[in-house]
Amino acid sequence: MDEHTWHERTQTPLIIASLAYLVAYSWRVIGDLQGPGWTIATAVVLVTWAMFIADYLVRLSLAENKRVWFRRHLPALAFALVPVLRLVRLLRFLTHIPGMKTTAGGVLRTQILVYGVGASLILIYIASLAVLEAERHAPGANITTFDIAIWWSCVTVTTTGYGDYTPVTGAGRWVGVGLMFGGVALAGVITATLASWVLERAARDHDDEEPATRAQLRALIERIDALTSPPTQGGAPGPERGPEPRGDGGDDRPGG
């Protein structure tokens, strides 16, 4: 079995596992579970997380060139470290908006925007759960409810930082660091996508002002070569010759 076949066969089970991970983790944190409930929820979290780690390692081992595969599949590493990010794939149907121009640039921008917004929402939710779990029972903590945790995540991911709620534990602060870096990266991607869309709208109906792409230049050069290249059949073309003289030496004009 090759890496592609393994990936195709495990996509659906891993989507289900990511849902189970999200439900179990949410249940454990929001419900502030103790005893058997905490044990069950933690077991589900660990088992599903282990499934993602194992999937990543199997795909890496099946790859022909492991170094190239690693560089080209960095999102797979992110999915293994944060399993719920795989749920972003469920937003794929939103990338096919009726009436949208099916240009390569338009499709790519739509995918980046949809996946970027989805990843932002998941990042805020998971960070809220993580910081609440780290802070809830810490001495002097003020992030003690899920509502406050959501508020803190929103102001942190947008780098607003009101400062009314701050983590006091080391784990909570590390969650904040990851949230800030993730927020800056996602904001940059979404901003660049919107800027590209605005530029395309501004350049509409002004095709004569747009610079030619390499593909267009290449196609034009190939067309010119095809028109100017000599024929290959019948040998090389000889010098042009005038009309053959008449055998009788007379004038070839009518009535001559």
Side-chain angles (χ1 to χ4, degrees):
M1 179 184 299
D2 58 1
E3 185 270 335
H4 179 72
T5 304
W6 171 271
H7 179 58
E8 291 296 326
R9 292 182 180 180
T10 56
Q11 274 191 337
T12 300
L14 290 178
I15 288 291
I16 297 174
S18 63
L19 285 171
Y21 176 95
L22 182 62
V23 171
Y25 189 44
S26 302
W27 180 40
R28 188 181 77 178
V29 176
I30 298 176
D32 196 13
L33 298 181
Q34 304 292 331
W38 184 91
T39 303
I40 294 173
T42 302
V44 174
V45 168
L46 294 178
V47 168
T48 52
W49 202 346
M51 290 174 59
F52 285 97
I53 298 295
D55 172 71
Y56 179 82
L57 295 177
V58 169
R59 292 180 62 189
L60 179 61
S61 65
L62 292 175
E64 295 182 359
N65 190 327
K66 296 177 175 53
R67 182 174 299 178
V68 174
W69 186 93
F70 175 80
R71 292 199 306 265
R72 293 181 178 177
H73 293 80
L74 292 178
L77 179 59
F79 292 157
L81 298 177
V82 187
V84 292
L85 286 179
R86 189 173 289 269
L87 295 177
V88 176
R89 291 181 176 271
L90 297 178
L91 302 176
R92 185 178 302 175
F93 72 96
L94 294 178
T95 61
H96 303 286
I97 301 175
M100 185 189 69
K101 293 181 66 176
T102 57
T103 61
V107 172
L108 180 60
R109 278 192 297 271
T110 302
Q111 291 177 345
I112 293 175
L113 188 61
V114 170
Y115 292 149
V117 172
S120 300
L121 295 176
I122 291 176
L123 181 63
I124 290 173
Y125 183 76
I126 291 299
S128 301
L129 294 176
V131 75
L132 178 60
E133 187 174 38
E135 296 286 315
R136 172 180 280 157
H137 301 295
N142 54 14
I143 304 177
T144 55
T145 65
F146 187 64
D147 294 341
I148 296 176
I150 287 287
W151 167 258
W152 173 83
S153 295
C154 289
V155 298
T156 303
V157 78
T158 56
T159 66
T160 304
Y162 283 108
D164 47 355
Y165 296 102
T166 55
V168 298
T169 65
R173 289 169 180 167
W174 277 111
V175 172
V177 170
L179 190 58
M180 284 185 283
F181 278 104
V184 169
L186 290 172
V189 170
I190 295 174
T191 301
T193 303
L194 292 176
S196 174
W197 177 78
V198 170
L199 289 175
E200 181 179 329
R201 296 282 295 183
R204 185 171 294 179
D205 300 327
H206 297 281
D207 296 343
D208 55 336
E209 300 178 3
E210 294 183 0
T213 63
R214 292 184 179 180
Q216 291 171 333
L217 291 176
R218 190 181 303 113
L220 181 59
I221 293 173
E222 291 176 355
R223 180 61 177 169
I224 294 174
D225 290 342
L227 292 175
T228 58
S229 60
T232 58
Q233 295 181 354
E240 294 185 0
R241 301 174 60 185
E244 294 290 336
R246 292 171 60 100
D248 55 1
D251 193 353
D252 58 353
R253 290 178 297 176

